[in-house]
Every structure is written in structure tokens, then in C-alpha cells.
Amino acid sequence: MSIANGDKVVVVGGGIVGLLTAYYAAKNGFSTHLVTLREFENSPSWMNAGYLASGFGSPIPEESLSKLLGLVLSNKSPVKISPTFFLKNIFPGGWVYEYFKSKEERERVDFLRAVRELSVTGSSLLRELIKETGIEPELNRNGILEVYLNASKLAEKEKLLKNSGRYFPVNFKMLTRDECLSLEPNLSERIAGGILFEEDSSVNPAKLMASLTKYLENSGFTKITYGRVVSLKVGNGRVEAALTDNGDRIFGEYFVVCAGMGSARVLESIGVKVSLAAGFGYSIMTEPVSAKMNRPVVGGEFRVATSQTSEGNLRAAGFFELREFPPKNLDKRYELLAAKAAEYIPFFRRLKIVKKNFGARPCTPHGLPNIGPIRFPNLFICAGHCRLGLTTGPATAKFLADLLSGKKSRYLDLLSPR
């Protein structure tokens, strides 16, 4: 990559999508300026499972109205919606209303194929980036193993994967209980069987974020300003600057808002409304353990994603909770997550929890991110990846960078914020 010296692209937001957008824009010859918060303790980009889930990933859970109503009252479901959020968003214009309204759209073949292609392309691009930049995010290419305690649930997932194959190929291998235990001896003997997604991989999300940020900062391709963008300044029919809480005024030719849930707040400062809901997820990390996991393991019934760091710490991440603000009693979420992880990996319950985090994934009602120009000719959005930010983020960031360079894509209409 040569040092960019073209027009300046101001990227608002330093999560994984923002970092990738800055990277690909610089690669396309743009001078880039990234504006991001320095604090990252409870950011979905830092605390997610780290899965490049091109095989089994889906942006948002698919729930019927009757089931979603049940989730309002549920305390232990992996998918939950707060009563306040539900009641505020069930009417026309609300997120829940738009979610049900877009049901047919989410079931269209072009939608399903787009999710799959963005996932496969994004996973491949991130692996290429890791090789090209020389960063060390603990890439594990042994696949992802999804296991089930209930044989009927495993059969349901197999049927779903086979049906999906009518629209796009999904490479998976069904495994018996003994085959799963052979691959991962530390699994519970209660499991009924599993599915190996051999093409999937994983990284340590915290190390990916830290190493990619450092790479951009030290390589001369991207200037980084730390601060929160509070508003955009508009003049002569264009965005002229991003204004931060530190009093900085970041001027540029193009502005790309990649601030996750903060994207709605930034755009609202100039009268632009985007429909994003916070899908809260939680993660815990244990003390190091000598026992080794060969690959990430997903607990199928409860969607608990587990993995291990190179230092031996076990990490568990999961749950999807639609709500406006973090719950008051976070410890209950962490305790439930640890308990569910232990159902699949028993020794998890013996380990001390040394780190707890939560993050708010930015989710659109229809499940696909908003990518493209919005309101002004030099203003773009790249946000709304929900549960697939790490997987689809590289593909959408490259798509956005190519769009800035004048290149078109067949995804232009499908992903357009319009």
C-alpha cells in the first residue's frame, strides 16, 4: 500500500467498520482522517465473539410476532426484548413495526444471497488484510463447531442449512456425539452431536482492534483524532466538517459515518433519521486454563459463542437483547452466560471470571447494513451490521471505499439507506 495523497475522507467512528473503511479508502488513494473515542471498554467491536461466521451467521434473529411477544416476558431466552422498547416501537415508524413490515424482504432470494456473499467475501478480505498488514490477531482457521444438547434441535438446524443450500451453498459437516468429542475432548458428554463449519474462522477481537488501530496510526496512511463527534457542520449543500466534544473541527471532502449506534445521533444533528436499534450482547473472560480448545465452539440452543485466547483465557459471548439502555443488573446477564457456556464446556463453571463486558450492536429492521450516500452528495453511511459486523464489515467497507472512487456495485440498491 502506498501512502495516500488524494482527497481527504473523514471517517466518523473507530469500531471495526470504521477502521476497515479508513484502511480501504487509503488503499484506494484517499487521505483519511479517523475520528474515534479512546475509550472502548464496552464496544461490540472489542467484546464480540471474534467469529468470521460465513457459514452459519445471520444478521438479526428471525422471530414470529407471537414468539417475539413471549420474549418480552422471558428472563432466560438468548433473544430478548425489553417491554419498554417493544411498546415504544410497535407503532408505525417504530423499529419493531418496521421489522415485521420487512419480513417478506428478508425472505427474498436476493436478500439471503447478499447476506451469504457479504459474509464469505468479508471473511476472505479480512484474512487477506491480516496477511498483507502483518498484524497478529490470533487467527484460527480450524473452523467453528456448533454443538447441541437436544437431538431434535440439531435436526432442525440441519434442515435449515439444507434448505438454505437451494439459494447459496453452505459448507458444513454433520458430526455424531463421539466425533464432536474426538475434535473437542473438553465438551460435555451430554451433547447429542454437532455441525462443523470448516470454512469459518475466528480472531481475538480485542487484539484485532488494537493491532489494526496501531497499524493505521503508525503507517502514515490515516490520521487519528480521539474524541466524540457531536455534530456535523453543513454549508452550501454539503457537509463541511465534523465537530467533536474536544472542540476539534475536522474538515474534509467526504464524510463517512461508521459510528455504530452513535451513527443515528451524529446524523440526527443535521436532521437525518436512520432506524437503528441497540441489540445488546454480553461477554465474559475467565482466568487462563491449561486445557486447550482446538477451535471455537457454539452452544446451539443458547447461541453461546466460546473460544480461547493464546494465553489460555476462555471467552464466552452471546445473547441478543433489544432495549434502549443497558440493563441495571448486568451481573445476572453475566451469570446466565457463564451457566449456559458451562452446559457445553463443563470446566467453565470452575473458572474465575476476570473480565465482563457488554456492547450495543447497531441493527436495522431489515437486517442488512445501510451503505451509501445519504442526504448530501459528500455524506455516506456505513452502519447497521448488527451481529455480523466482523464478518461482513470488510466487504461493506471495501464497497464503500470503491463507491467513493466512483466504482459501482450490484449491491448499491440493496444496501442503499434510501
Side-chain angles (χ1 to χ4, degrees), residues 30-44:
F30 290 96
S31 171
T32 58
H33 193 152
L34 181 71
V35 189
T36 180
L37 291 172
R38 192 180 294 275
E39 302 80 18
F40 51 79
E41 190 68 18
N42 289 310
S43 164

Side-chain angles (χ1 to χ4, degrees), residues 7-11 21 25 30-34 252-256 400 404:
D7 294 332
K8 183 188 287 186
V9 175
V10 177
V11 178
T21 300
F30 290 96
S31 171
T32 58
H33 193 152
L34 181 71
E253 293 294 323
Y254 303 97
F255 293 80
V256 185
L400 196 284
L404 291 173

Side-chain angles (χ1 to χ4, degrees), residues 26-215:
K27 196 171 183 179
N28 281 4
F30 290 96
S31 171
T32 58
H33 193 152
L34 181 71
V35 189
T36 180
L37 291 172
R38 192 180 294 275
E39 302 80 18
F40 51 79
E41 190 68 18
N42 289 310
S43 164
S45 291
W46 289 78
M47 52 69 61
N48 65 69
Y51 288 8
L52 302 179
S54 57
F56 70 89
S58 61
I60 54 178
E62 289 295 324
E63 312 295 343
S64 64
L65 177 59
S66 60
K67 187 173 182 181
L68 196 61
L69 286 170
L71 297 176
V72 174
L73 305 174
S74 173
N75 289 321
K76 296 185 177 181
S77 170
V79 180
K80 183 174 170 56
I81 179 170
S82 78
T84 302
F85 180 89
F86 184 86
L87 292 174
K88 287 182 67 174
N89 287 275
I90 192 60
F91 301 105
W95 194 95
V96 176
Y97 179 89
E98 294 297 327
Y99 171 80
F100 290 116
K101 185 179 176 181
S102 64
K103 184 177 187 299
E104 290 186 5
E105 178 184 352
R106 296 195 303 274
E107 294 174 347
R108 288 191 348 236
V109 173
D110 61 339
F111 175 94
L112 297 170
R113 186 173 286 120
V115 172
R116 171 65 172 163
E117 289 181 0
L118 288 171
S119 297
V120 172
T121 302
S123 298
S124 177
L125 284 171
L126 188 58
R127 288 191 289 265
E128 289 176 11
L129 180 151
I130 291 170
K131 184 177 181 180
E132 182 176 294
T133 60
I135 62 176
E136 296 290 344
E138 298 180 6
L139 177 64
N140 185 318
R141 303 190 67 167
N142 291 336
I144 294 177
L145 178 62
E146 184 173 10
V147 297
Y148 285 81
L149 302 169
N150 186 303
S152 63
K153 293 292 184 182
L154 175 61
E156 287 178 14
K157 185 58 179 284
E158 180 182 12
K159 182 179 179 180
L160 177 64
L161 290 169
K162 288 181 176 179
N163 287 337
S164 299
R166 294 180 298 169
Y167 309 116
F168 46 79
V170 178
N171 297 323
F172 65 94
K173 183 179 181 181
M174 300 302 300
L175 301 179
T176 64
R177 168 187 172 277
D178 290 343
E179 287 172 330
C180 290
L181 289 170
S182 176
L183 287 176
E184 296 295 333
N186 292 307
L187 288 172
S188 168
E189 294 190 356
R190 294 175 48 228
I191 66 168
I195 308 167
L196 180 62
F197 296 91
E198 295 177 291
E199 66 182 23
D200 287 358
S201 51
S202 68
V203 295
N204 182 323
K207 291 189 176 180
L208 171 66
M209 292 293 297
S211 58
L212 185 53
T213 302
K214 185 177 180 180
Y215 174 83

